[in-house]
Amino acid sequence: MAHPNPSVSNPLERLTVEQLRQRTSMKWRAHPPDVLPLWVAEMDVPLAEPVADALNLAVARGDTGYPAVDRAYAESVAGFARRRWSWDGLDVERTAIAPDVMLGIVEVLKLITRPGDAVVVNAPVYPPFYAFVTHADRHVVEARLGATGRIDLEALGTAFASARKVGERVAYLVSNPHNPTGAVHTPGELAGVAALAREHGVRVVSDEIHAPLILAGAGFTPYLSVDGAEDAFAVTSASKAWNLAGLKAALVIAGSAAADDLARMPEEVSHGPSHLGVLAHTAAFNEGEAWLDALLAGLSANRDLLGQLVAEHLPLVRCTPPEGTYLAWLDCRLLGLDEPGGEDGPGIVTELAGPARAFLDQARVALSSGHVFGSGGAGHVRLNFATSQAVLTEAITRMGKVRG
């Protein structure tokens, strides 16, 4: 992580709760005003100034038409990758724009698998992995994470072998960094993934939407930079790191041996992103690093504060400090807050059961329910700590008063 620019203040401490409650996005409108929302992956920050400037200029010009199919977005990501990760391997000629990361992933899966084929995921994992894969007529095969919340290569190899019995082709959808545990996969772990994929004939798709959000003490490895990943894909955007979920645009990146597959992507996919979204994401990657560095310093401080607050107010809860993202995975099974529920299973993002239901009902704190993240998620909650330290402190203090 680069050193923050002292002239850029911590974005997490700029807005009051009263200002945030004026927002009309999902995070602040899904629950009544007495609820502190620490669930969906939106941050409590203002727009980065370069992004706001790009949007204001476009609006002033009336530049609100269709997105241009050029290389500016890809070039901005390639430059960011060189500066942040010392990766020169992003070839802008092997990229395509897509409406958002999940829709980009679905379009890639359509290129490399067929209906009825299997897609392997590491459970517990981001719930839309289940929903989008299933809606695309593919079957999800789970490879459970290890006890420390990291990729278990033995379990992954077993899942690859099982998946080959389901259909003709197999894909592996990896969350890099991992949502919800915040694990940032090491070069060794990713090399192990690539070796297993080659052995079993599996195509890898790496969701790298959280890649810019690497906290103090960790370093990010793009999957396509790993030896043996030439036939893989990565999909990314600025939406998580710069809080741009409402400005749709994502970038699909093909490895050197996947270029022919990418060339088959239908033209209409490139019509889905928002023109303002492409402009905003491009500005973020090109000009938003000083803001990002200030954010990362604030997130690292919040991660440390969260650990202290959990130890003080929720001593029975276990939380491995995340290395990346602004999401914490809390193991609440010792609190005795389990209850019947969650029959709809993984992928139902807004469904609540167990600890998440108790924290909402009794503490008025909204968290993501662990059971929707698949196997191993029940009894857990995912907490979004991309907020002010005052809100984070109030939320954990409230949660500490909940009883089973």
Side-chain angles (χ1 to χ4, degrees):
M1 185 180 74
H3 295 293
N5 185 334
S7 67
V8 181
S9 62
N10 181 359
L12 297 166
E13 299 293 343
R14 295 190 202 172
L15 300 175
T16 65
V17 172
E18 290 71 26
Q19 289 173 311
L20 291 164
R21 290 203 185 281
Q22 296 175 22
R23 293 184 168 180
T24 58
S25 62
M26 180 187 295
K27 180 177 183 178
W28 288 95
R29 290 302 172 100
H31 298 285
D34 65 325
V35 172
L36 293 177
L38 304 183
W39 63 293
V40 72
E42 295 180 27
M43 296 191 290
D44 295 344
V45 295
L47 272 180
E49 289 77 5
V51 175
D53 290 345
L55 292 171
N56 288 332
L57 179 59
V59 171
R61 289 173 170 170
D63 188 9
T64 55
Y66 295 106
V69 182
D70 59 27
R71 299 303 186 197
Y73 188 1
E75 288 167 352
S76 74
V77 178
F80 184 86
R82 283 192 297 270
R83 294 188 300 272
R84 305 294 284 202
W85 310 320
S86 300
W87 181 43
D88 290 317
L90 198 166
D91 185 344
V92 298
E93 298 301 319
R94 296 197 305 268
T95 64
I97 58 172
D100 59 34
V101 166
M102 280 311 307
L103 290 176
I105 286 169
V106 169
E107 293 299 332
V108 170
L109 291 176
K110 289 178 181 178
L111 297 175
I112 61 176
T113 64
R114 296 171 180 166
D117 285 340
V119 178
V120 176
V121 303
N122 293 120
V125 73
Y126 182 52
F129 278 17
Y130 295 92
F132 279 73
V133 168
T134 302
H135 293 162
D137 296 323
R138 273 70 173 170
H139 298 285
V140 174
V141 173
E142 292 183 328
R144 287 281 296 271
L145 295 173
T148 60
R150 308 194 70 87
I151 294 174
D152 181 331
L153 292 176
E154 182 176 354
L156 187 62
T158 299
F160 284 175
S162 297
R164 293 223 58 87
K165 302 174 184 177
V166 174
E168 182 179 349
R169 304 178 181 184
V170 178
Y172 170 43
L173 178 51
V174 58
S175 180
N176 180 32
H178 192 82
N179 175 2
T181 66
V184 176
H185 309 311
T186 66
E189 288 170 332
L190 294 178
V193 167
L196 284 173
R198 288 196 305 272
E199 177 185 346
H200 293 273
V202 173
R203 301 292 295 277
V204 178
V205 183
S206 184
D207 175 352
E208 299 186 354
I209 195 170
H210 289 278
L213 293 166
I214 306 303
L215 305 183
F220 178 70
T221 301
Y223 184 72
L224 293 179
S225 71
V226 175
D227 289 342
E230 293 79 13
D231 67 347
F233 286 85
V235 189
T236 193
S237 81
S239 64
K240 290 296 182 282
W242 284 272
N243 214 44
L244 304 178
L247 292 163
K248 295 286 190 178
L251 190 72
V252 178
I253 309 164
S256 59
D260 289 345
D261 292 314
L262 185 63
R264 293 186 290 106
M265 184 171 285
E267 179 189 352
E268 58 266 25
V269 175
S270 68
H271 299 170
S274 157
H275 180 48
L276 291 180
V278 172
L279 294 176
H281 290 241
T282 301
F285 281 115
N286 274 338
E287 305 172 58
E289 285 182 77
W291 186 93
L292 176 65
D293 287 333
L295 170 72
L296 292 175
L299 289 175
S300 295
N302 280 12
R303 174 187 60 180
D304 296 341
L305 175 63
L306 176 63
Q308 297 165 14
L309 292 169
V310 168
E312 179 181 354
H313 297 282
L314 294 162
L316 295 180
V317 170
R318 290 175 287 176
C319 175
T320 300
E323 298 171 319
T325 80
Y326 45 77
L327 306 168
W329 187 238
L330 307 183
D331 183 347
C332 304
R333 287 176 291 180
L334 295 179
L335 295 179
L337 300 176
D338 293 335
E339 63 176 55
E343 291 84 359
D344 288 337
I348 312 301
V349 175
T350 58
E351 188 184 76
L352 295 180
R357 170 59 65 187
F359 287 133
L360 178 61
D361 290 346
Q362 299 183 44
R364 310 307 286 160
V365 176
L367 307 169
S368 297
S369 188
H371 78 281
V372 303
F373 292 80
S375 297
H380 295 70
V381 296
R382 191 191 71 176
L383 181 148
N384 174 353
F385 57 89
T387 187
S388 68
Q389 294 204 348
V391 168
L392 185 60
T393 300
E394 172 66 17
I396 302 301
T397 302
R398 291 187 192 184
M399 291 165 60
K401 299 176 182 177
V402 171
R403 298 292 179 265

